[in-house]
Amino acid sequence: MMRAWNLIYPVGIYFVVTAVLLFLLDFVLPDTKGSHLFRQGITSLSVLPFLYSFYRQDSFWRGEPLGKKEFLLTKREAGTVFLLFLAGGCFALAWNNVLSMVHISDYSVSYNRIRETFYVGKFFMEFCVVCLLAPMAEELLYRGIVYKRAKDWLGIWPGIIVSAVMFGLVHMNLVQFVYAGVFGIFLGLFVEKTGKLHSAIAAHAAANLTSLLRGETELFSFMDKSLPVMVIMTALLFLLAAGLVFGALHFLSKGGRDYIL
């Protein structure tokens, strides 16, 4: 029971802190379509110290005290993170296509309501919040804390699945549960294979970036013109994502001299 509680309470604290911050913001910055994203950015930035304190404490108890090397990347690791960034974007596009083809959003009124307030700010603000702050906070929580605690308790694969399910559930709508739950499995694998949280943050950022570009620009509109085009592009994107992941892990495993960036 205590082990399960250790997985749940960091998520609970995350939501309590977020709720308190939003309550306080109501006095100075009421929630409107224009301010919604800015408020989200403030809360994401504010919870980072709380999450990092848990992450640092867990690392200490595992005998892995954090130092500069935890945050610095070697050239090989940086290359791996870049490839996984591209893989995350390709997979997100393909998985979004699959969910679009099965019309899963038709069964989630709450998702449609969230979407109405999602792309409401200036692009720079959306990029900062959606593609930088949110991935950092969520990956620190779900892969840095929840996954590693679940792994210590249950092992690698159960830990990956538990963290992915929790990541999906907290979105509280069917579309994002399916989307984030499946994607969370890959994010957990990236962290396990690379040993760095950077890989999950990068892939998560890429996934959010593709969603942002798809919602705000016509960059990917060619995939929506017909079902055959969408099916073909989805298959190609899945293959490309798999190739990029394979290439990233192969690149990481290569021997030879490496340097800290």
Side-chain angles (χ1 to χ4, degrees):
M1 187 68 180
M2 183 58 68
R3 292 274 196 166
W5 174 245
N6 284 337
L7 303 181
I8 295 170
Y9 83 80
V11 180
I13 290 176
Y14 172 84
F15 278 100
V16 168
V17 172
T18 298
V20 170
L21 287 170
L22 290 175
F23 173 76
L24 295 175
L25 282 172
D26 282 337
F27 293 100
V28 294
L29 187 66
D31 190 12
T32 64
K33 283 189 175 183
S35 67
H36 184 80
L37 201 62
F38 184 67
R39 286 160 53 96
Q40 183 181 341
I42 291 174
T43 56
S44 294
L45 185 62
S46 299
V47 297
L48 282 173
F50 292 93
L51 298 176
Y52 180 71
S53 67
F54 282 119
Y55 183 65
R56 188 178 183 86
Q57 179 181 312
D58 286 357
S59 297
F60 175 80
W61 286 114
R62 290 191 190 98
E64 304 169 350
L66 299 179
K68 291 183 179 179
K69 289 186 178 180
E70 175 68 21
F71 304 101
L72 295 176
L73 295 174
T74 65
K75 287 186 177 180
R76 187 174 297 113
E77 289 170 338
T80 300
V81 167
F82 177 69
L83 291 176
L84 292 178
F85 171 85
L86 297 177
C90 291
F91 181 85
L93 282 171
W95 188 224
N96 264 311
N97 284 350
V98 170
L99 298 183
S100 176
M101 285 186 283
V102 299
H103 301 286
I104 192 172
S105 62
D106 295 346
Y107 305 98
S108 182
V109 175
S110 59
Y111 170 73
N112 292 321
R113 289 174 180 168
I114 290 172
R115 194 173 181 182
E116 289 175 0
T117 60
F118 193 72
Y119 305 117
V120 293
K122 293 182 178 179
F123 187 87
F124 179 74
M125 174 63 69
E126 293 172 340
F127 176 80
C128 290
V129 176
V130 175
C131 303
L132 297 178
L133 291 176
M136 288 174 61
E138 292 179 353
E139 291 311 310
L140 192 56
L141 175 59
Y142 293 104
R143 253 59 63 178
I145 299 170
V146 174
Y147 163 60
K148 291 191 174 182
R149 289 186 179 188
K151 174 188 170 182
D152 291 341
W153 176 27
L154 302 167
I156 294 174
W157 270 107
I160 288 173
I161 292 172
V162 166
S163 63
V165 170
M166 291 181 68
F167 181 49
L169 284 173
V170 296
H171 288 84
M172 293 182 288
N173 65 77
L174 178 62
V175 177
Q176 288 178 298
F177 169 72
V178 176
Y179 174 80
V182 172
F183 194 56
I185 293 174
F186 289 92
L187 295 175
L189 280 171
F190 291 170
V191 171
E192 180 59 32
K193 293 297 184 181
T194 65
K196 293 280 188 177
L197 200 59
H198 302 69
S199 57
I201 294 173
H204 191 155
N208 286 4
L209 178 60
T210 59
S211 294
L212 178 59
L213 292 173
R214 200 167 194 168
E216 293 282 38
T217 72
E218 299 295 318
L219 185 61
F220 302 114
S221 60
F222 67 93
M223 290 191 290
D224 303 322
K225 290 183 177 179
S226 68
L227 184 59
V229 171
M230 182 174 284
V231 170
I232 292 171
M233 288 304 304
T234 299
L236 290 175
L237 285 166
F238 274 133
L239 288 173
L240 182 56
L244 286 165
V245 171
F246 178 80
L249 298 181
H250 176 71
F251 183 65
L252 185 64
S253 66
K254 286 174 61 178
R257 183 175 293 181
D258 203 1
Y259 300 92
I260 296 291
L261 291 177

